[in-house]
């Protein structure tokens, strides 16, 4: 998070308008894309013009039912692997898995810039991503979703080879252009 904030502030120092900066990432990067905007909001600093969060890891409680229901269809992630990642990230700290600094599905999402959330239906993260997208919308944020039927976690790696990935990426690109007017 510190590195992402440093990079964002460097862009501002170089004269880039915050409204022309998009935070985008997938998986843990999808989390960082949103968490950076939340951090900046809380510091009352300029926010990016938009957020694109692809297959974000939103809920470190690892409790959503799609961890089990999509266990056979997600060939990239599993509940056990997420547990390993969680332990590597916050293990040995006093941070609770429900802490809104690390759990987007517990965070106050008010005041975010326009936010697009995308995920594949075969992902173990699909349920928490759907919940997060609903929370963004419920917070009154200008929001959009791109759901990829049959999409795996990291579906974007299929660009140029998987037609569904290409369609989703084109939709995301069109949304970014609309939001930033660049």
């Amino acid at each position: 998070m510190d590195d992402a904030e440093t990079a964002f502030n460097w862009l501002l120092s170089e004269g880039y308008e915050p409204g022309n900066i998009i935070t985008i990432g997938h998986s843990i990067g999808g989390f960082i894309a949103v968490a950076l905007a939340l951090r900046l909001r809380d510091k009352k600093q300029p926010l990016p013009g938009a957020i694109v969060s692809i297959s974000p890891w939103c809920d470190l409680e690892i409790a959503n039912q799609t961890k089990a229901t999509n266990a056979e269809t997600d060939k990239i992630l599993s509940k056990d692997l997420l547990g390993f990642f969680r332990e590597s990230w916050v293990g040995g700290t006093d941070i609770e898995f429900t802490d809104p600094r690390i759990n987007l599905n517990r965070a106050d999402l008010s005041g975010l810039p326009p936010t697009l959330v995308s995920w594949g239906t075969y992902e173990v993260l699909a349920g928490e991503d759907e919940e997060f997208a609903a929370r963004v919308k419920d917070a009154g944020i200008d929001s959009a979703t791109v759901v990829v039927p049959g999409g795996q976690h990291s579906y974007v790696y299929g660009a140029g080879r998987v037609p569904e990935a290409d369609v989703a990426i084109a939709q995301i690109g069109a949304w970014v252009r609309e939001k930033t007017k660049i």
Side-chain angles (χ1 to χ4, degrees), residues 17-94:
E17 293 295 320
N20 289 334
I21 300 171
I22 309 303
T23 58
I24 183 169
H26 97 282
S27 196
I28 193 65
F31 163 85
I32 292 171
V34 176
L36 173 62
L38 293 173
R39 180 189 272 200
L40 295 169
R41 177 205 64 193
D42 292 348
K43 291 182 172 185
K44 301 190 183 341
Q45 294 179 341
L47 299 178
I51 299 168
V52 176
S53 185
I54 301 169
S55 302
W57 188 14
C58 299
D59 185 358
L60 268 70
E61 293 175 81
I62 311 178
N64 191 282
Q65 66 184 8
T66 57
K67 300 299 182 295
T69 60
N70 286 4
E72 294 298 316
T73 57
D74 191 331
K75 303 302 180 191
I76 306 292
L77 283 181
S78 68
K79 185 174 183 176
D80 289 343
L81 188 55
L82 288 169
F84 170 78
F85 290 150
R86 179 178 68 184
E87 182 61 27
S88 298
W89 185 13
V90 296
T93 70
D94 292 332

Side-chain angles (χ1 to χ4, degrees), residues 113-173:
T115 301
L116 181 145
V117 184
S118 180
W119 65 91
T121 60
Y122 280 10
E123 297 190 47
V124 294
L125 299 179
E128 69 188 62
D129 290 352
E130 183 175 9
E131 179 184 341
F132 175 65
R135 291 189 70 247
V136 170
K137 183 178 180 182
D138 290 347
I141 307 306
D142 176 359
S143 63
T145 58
V146 175
V147 181
V148 181
Q152 293 286 318
H153 185 70
S154 300
Y155 75 82
V156 293
Y157 291 149
R161 297 180 307 283
V162 178
E164 294 84 356
D166 291 340
V167 168
I169 292 166
Q171 290 172 327
I172 292 167

